Amino acid sequence: MAEPTTTTTRPTKIIAGADEFGTPLKDALVSHLRSLDFDVQDLGTSSYYSAGADVGRLVSQSLSDTRGLVACGTGAGVSIFANKFPGIFATTCLTISDAINARSINNSNVLAVSGKYTSPVTAINILDAWLNTPFKSPCPANHNEPWPEHIQSFLDNSLTEMPEIGRQNRNTETPIDNCAVCCLVQNRELNPIDLIPGGSMKIIRETPTSAFVKFKAGSVEPAHHHTFGHDLVVIEGKKSVWNLTKEERYDLTVGDYLFTPAGDVHRVKYYEDTQFFIKWDGKWDMFFDEDLHVAHQAIDKELSIVT
């Protein structure tokens, strides 16, 4: 999962997406970015729910030199859905001043633009200002003057404080009262399904596309893959996921989110009794790529090297 970026230079990669109302403007901006030799991943056209969410998720999982560009009719919807993902600060910008303020004050890493109300020429100027403005730089909100020392200090601290808003209770044993997933599973008894030693699963929706899952401390999921991508959020406990396809490791604890694409081979270790909510697309399947003994050996070897 991506941590809040502290980068003050221009990004090297842009991930772009739009709904049908924002696509013409998005296409114009993608062409402009490519003319400037940016690495652009264009996700094309989808509903504004998906366009915002897909860009937000991918930027959330990327390195700090990656930012996002989203467009819909007003720029508001795609911004809302991009901001559902950890470490994403998506801002709708209708003017150049909006873009400079968003970068300077909010360290915005996803730009949302309006296909109905912004011309391509204006949008290109907005995009250029957003790309070229460093975090904490002078901006229209401060009459283009340097920030006072106490504001500079506030902005520095905001990089760690902003992502924690709404997650203040993440280290407590009591579920957060206003968490829909936690409320859904409170006081439920799980009927175990023995998919993997030490694990149990119960489907908690009428259609089999999501589950609330519990694993015992010390459990290991051998390397496996699915024909679908899946999202998960950790409700309790601590686990590591090794994505062997991407050669990446994710250490997850309460409140952390992870998306694993279809076909990616991954291995999992549970350090504590762990509960998580998982949602997938398509019919559930699981194909093992190694046996449990091999998985334990691989994990033990890596953890011994780290320690």
Side-chain angles (χ1 to χ4, degrees):
M1 180 179 61
E3 293 300 323
T5 176
T6 58
T7 302
T8 57
T9 57
R10 293 189 353 157
T12 59
K13 180 176 180 179
I14 303 290
I15 301 173
D19 73 357
E20 60 179 314
F21 297 107
T23 292
L25 185 61
K26 181 267 295 179
D27 289 346
L29 295 177
V30 166
S31 295
H32 176 66
L33 287 167
R34 286 176 172 158
S35 74
L36 300 175
D37 293 327
F38 279 96
D39 177 9
V40 181
Q41 181 179 351
D42 187 352
L43 304 182
T45 304
S46 56
S47 74
Y48 82 122
Y49 301 107
S50 298
D54 290 345
V55 171
R57 180 177 65 239
L58 291 174
V59 175
S60 175
Q61 296 173 347
S62 300
L63 299 175
S64 60
D65 62 353
T66 299
R67 294 191 207 164
L69 169 67
V70 285
C72 66
T74 65
V78 284
S79 174
I80 289 169
F81 297 112
N83 276 319
K84 298 290 185 181
F85 295 87
I88 296 303
F89 307 120
T91 313
T92 303
C93 297
L94 302 179
T95 68
I96 294 173
S97 292
D98 289 344
I100 296 173
N101 289 337
R103 282 291 306 141
S104 174
I105 301 169
N106 307 115
N107 200 28
S108 169
N109 57 2
V110 174
L111 172 65
V113 292
S114 167
K116 291 177 69 69
Y117 302 112
T118 306
S119 70
V121 171
T122 300
I124 286 173
N125 290 331
I126 289 171
L127 175 60
D128 285 343
W130 183 79
L131 291 169
N132 295 321
T133 301
F135 178 52
K136 299 185 295 183
S137 62
C139 65
N142 195 43
H143 308 292
N144 294 312
E145 297 292 333
W147 289 108
E149 185 176 344
H150 71 284
I151 298 296
Q152 287 274 3
S153 176
F154 166 78
L155 293 175
D156 286 337
N157 292 332
S158 73
L159 290 175
T160 55
E161 292 173 351
M162 285 193 296
E164 293 302 314
I165 294 174
R167 296 165 59 183
Q168 289 88 343
N169 295 329
R170 65 180 295 175
N171 293 321
T172 66
E173 295 183 0
T174 303
I176 301 172
D177 291 339
N178 61 357
C179 173
V181 174
C182 295
C183 292
L184 184 63
V185 299
Q186 274 184 326
N187 303 318
R188 282 180 178 264
E189 291 295 327
L190 294 184
N191 298 322
I193 301 174
D194 294 327
L195 295 177
I196 297 174
S200 61
M201 174 180 285
K202 181 180 176 66
I203 303 297
I204 56 174
R205 291 178 60 181
E206 292 182 0
T207 56
T209 58
S210 65
F212 181 72
V213 185
K214 298 180 71 171
F215 276 92
K216 298 176 183 177
S219 296
V220 167
E221 295 182 47
H224 63 281
H225 65 278
H226 310 279
T227 61
F228 48 80
H230 56 82
D231 305 79
L232 68 83
V233 178
V234 178
I235 307 302
E236 176 182 309
K238 183 178 179 182
K239 61 187 284 190
S240 287
V241 178
W242 287 264
N243 187 314
L244 305 182
T245 302
K246 292 184 170 57
E247 298 183 347
E248 295 177 346
R249 171 180 167 179
Y250 307 94
D251 296 319
L252 308 177
T253 186
V254 179
D256 284 340
Y257 162 87
L258 180 66
F259 173 75
T260 301
D264 277 17
V265 177
H266 52 291
R267 180 191 293 135
V268 187
K269 166 77 173 183
Y270 297 89
Y271 304 103
E272 304 171 359
D273 289 351
T274 301
Q275 305 178 33
F276 58 92
F277 180 76
I278 183 171
K279 178 180 179 297
W280 60 89
D281 299 319
K283 184 177 179 180
W284 176 268
D285 59 28
M286 180 180 287
F287 302 94
F288 287 97
D289 299 281
E290 67 183 3
D291 60 35
L292 186 59
H293 176 68
V294 172
H296 275 287
Q297 285 185 324
I299 291 173
D300 290 345
K301 180 179 180 180
E302 175 155 341
L303 294 180
S304 66
I305 292 174
V306 172
T307 56

